[in-house]
Amino acid sequence: MLKNRIEILQHAFDTDHVNYWSNLSRINNLLVIMNISMFFLTGLVAKGYFYTCYSLVCLGAVGMGVLVPTTMIRNLWYYWIFLVVELSGLYFLVASVIFWVKHGSG
């Protein structure tokens, strides 16, 4: 039963993998721009708050995974790895926004 589901997911990913990777790339670019404009330009990082740097490291890893062409790009597990890294980068970004709201930008 589980093996059948995995095969169905793999087949669906094979047919639409270009859409999945392009959407991951777009959201990654958006999060990088948000991260830099909200925290680096306000100077919050200079005050010793580094979750935004952790977020940028995660987003940079996803960016490299999207840009570097490999033969594994058609594998579902390879996409899931980068999706999890993207979500952890999003977690650090949201944590940064919560910290920013609680403590103010200045």
Side-chain angles (χ1 to χ4, degrees):
M1 178 93 175
L2 182 63
K3 186 175 181 172
N4 188 22
R5 292 285 180 191
I6 292 173
E7 289 175 1
I8 291 171
L9 288 174
Q10 182 67 38
H11 178 67
F13 181 76
D14 284 341
T15 58
D16 291 331
H17 75 280
V18 173
N19 293 330
Y20 292 123
W21 281 107
S22 64
N23 288 332
L24 187 66
S25 175
R26 286 185 197 114
I27 192 75
N28 191 46
N29 293 337
L30 176 68
L31 290 177
V32 167
I33 291 169
M34 278 179 38
N35 206 338
I36 290 173
S37 65
M38 286 174 41
F39 299 106
F40 283 92
L41 297 179
T42 60
L44 191 60
V45 175
K47 296 177 184 174
Y49 187 71
F50 295 110
Y51 267 21
T52 56
C53 295
Y54 301 151
S55 176
L56 280 176
V57 167
C58 292
L59 297 174
V62 172
M64 289 302 294
V66 169
L67 288 177
V68 175
T70 64
T71 58
M72 295 183 290
I73 204 161
R74 289 183 176 243
N75 293 331
L76 182 60
W77 62 268
Y78 188 73
Y79 176 77
W80 277 106
I81 289 171
F82 287 106
L83 186 62
V84 167
V85 173
E86 180 83 18
L87 290 176
S88 52
L90 182 63
Y91 167 77
F92 286 125
L93 180 63
V94 169
S96 300
V97 169
I98 291 171
F99 179 82
W100 190 31
V101 167
K102 283 186 177 180
H103 296 95
S105 63

